[in-house]
Amino acid sequence: MQIIWLGHSGFRIEIENAVLLIDPWLDDNPMFPEGRRAEALKGVTHIFLTHAHGDHASGALAIAQETGAPIAAIHELAEYLTRQGAKDVTGFGKGGTIDAGGAKVTMVNATHSSSIDFAGGNAIPAGSEAGFMIAGEGEVIYISGDTDIMADMDWMGDYHKPTIGILSCGGHYTMDMARAAYAARRYFNFSTVIPCHYKTFGLLAQDASELKAGLPPGTTLIEPQVLEPIRF
């Protein structure tokens, strides 16, 4: 299994018989290097979206059309993408699970907002924000999505028992490094934490030193590098 950061909150996760793209924002992403799009998209089998904001969902339709990979997202966002011409879209809801090449992807709660803000004109409501629990190859990966700390993390940690936490923690729009460390200590028992939704803009945290300092003993922090695989 390997996890590859695409910059910001985008990830390529190679797990079981699947190549998952999570929130693949490549075009106009300051973190994503020009000329490496084909590398990021090679062999993709599924696209999953946590919510509708442009820095997460704006590239999904083009990538689906280019690769033929199906998109999965919360129902309202899935309906919007279908109306825009996406051919293979599955809408599902929190608590629902999709089998993606043997990996089980369950949608869980997040606390943020979700609207289509990249289509011109006024923002369009697009359902609710979410995270994912991805189970496969003996690991459970928690994709927090854009969120603050929430009490739901208590049962989510207890029920799903994620071993790897991919946490949006750049602050301003999501929980910051200190809050993410608190969530990891209180609600989860991660062996590995990978920060995201940071470094992209000046408003966001530029390193994860505060997160590292706040994690419980025995938890490994890996600051990802764009397009460099993290292998498990």
Side-chain angles (χ1 to χ4, degrees):
M1 185 183 83
Q2 61 183 18
I3 297 172
I4 300 171
W5 193 34
L6 304 178
H8 199 54
S9 288
F11 284 88
R12 174 187 170 103
I13 301 177
E14 300 175 14
I15 182 171
E16 298 290 351
N17 297 310
V19 177
L20 313 179
L21 295 186
I22 312 296
D23 292 348
W25 178 47
L26 307 183
D27 297 336
D28 302 320
N29 179 350
M31 297 292 293
F32 189 80
E34 291 186 20
R36 300 187 70 179
R37 180 184 179 89
E39 180 181 345
L41 302 187
K42 182 179 179 181
V44 60
T45 61
H46 301 79
I47 301 164
F48 286 88
L49 303 177
T50 63
H51 65 292
H53 290 159
D55 57 335
H56 297 259
S58 61
L61 177 58
I63 292 171
Q65 292 172 334
E66 182 176 341
T67 64
I71 301 171
I74 203 158
H75 172 75
E76 292 83 358
L77 177 55
E79 288 291 300
Y80 171 83
L81 291 169
T82 299
R83 292 194 299 273
Q84 298 306 305
K87 301 301 183 185
D88 190 352
V89 187
T90 298
F92 68 133
K94 296 172 186 179
T97 300
I98 288 176
D99 187 315
K104 303 298 193 297
V105 183
T106 301
M107 184 181 289
V108 295
N109 199 28
T111 179
H112 186 57
S113 63
S114 183
S115 60
I116 295 154
D117 55 5
F118 55 87
N122 296 327
I124 304 167
S128 178
E129 61 280 8
F132 297 117
M133 295 285 180
I134 303 172
E137 299 194 33
E139 305 279 3
V140 178
I141 305 166
Y142 171 43
I143 305 282
S144 74
D146 285 11
T147 193
D148 188 20
I149 301 167
M150 55 181 175
D152 279 351
M153 289 176 173
D154 188 11
W155 74 260
M156 287 160 49
D158 184 58
Y159 186 86
H160 290 279
K161 294 179 171 54
T163 51
I164 301 167
I166 297 179
L167 307 180
S168 293
C169 49
H172 194 80
Y173 298 106
T174 71
M175 56 187 173
D176 62 17
M177 296 292 172
R179 295 167 81 86
Y182 173 87
R185 291 194 309 271
R186 176 162 181 176
Y187 297 122
F188 300 101
N189 187 27
F190 298 126
S191 59
T192 304
V193 168
I194 300 170
C196 68
H197 208 286
Y198 78 127
K199 293 187 177 181
T200 320
F201 313 111
L203 279 172
L204 307 181
Q206 298 299 301
D207 69 77
S209 55
E210 190 173 13
L211 174 60
K212 182 176 182 179
L215 291 175
T219 305
T220 299
L221 176 79
I222 299 177
E223 286 210 56
Q225 303 300 312
V226 175
L227 290 171
E228 291 189 10
I230 302 168
R231 295 183 173 88
F232 294 88

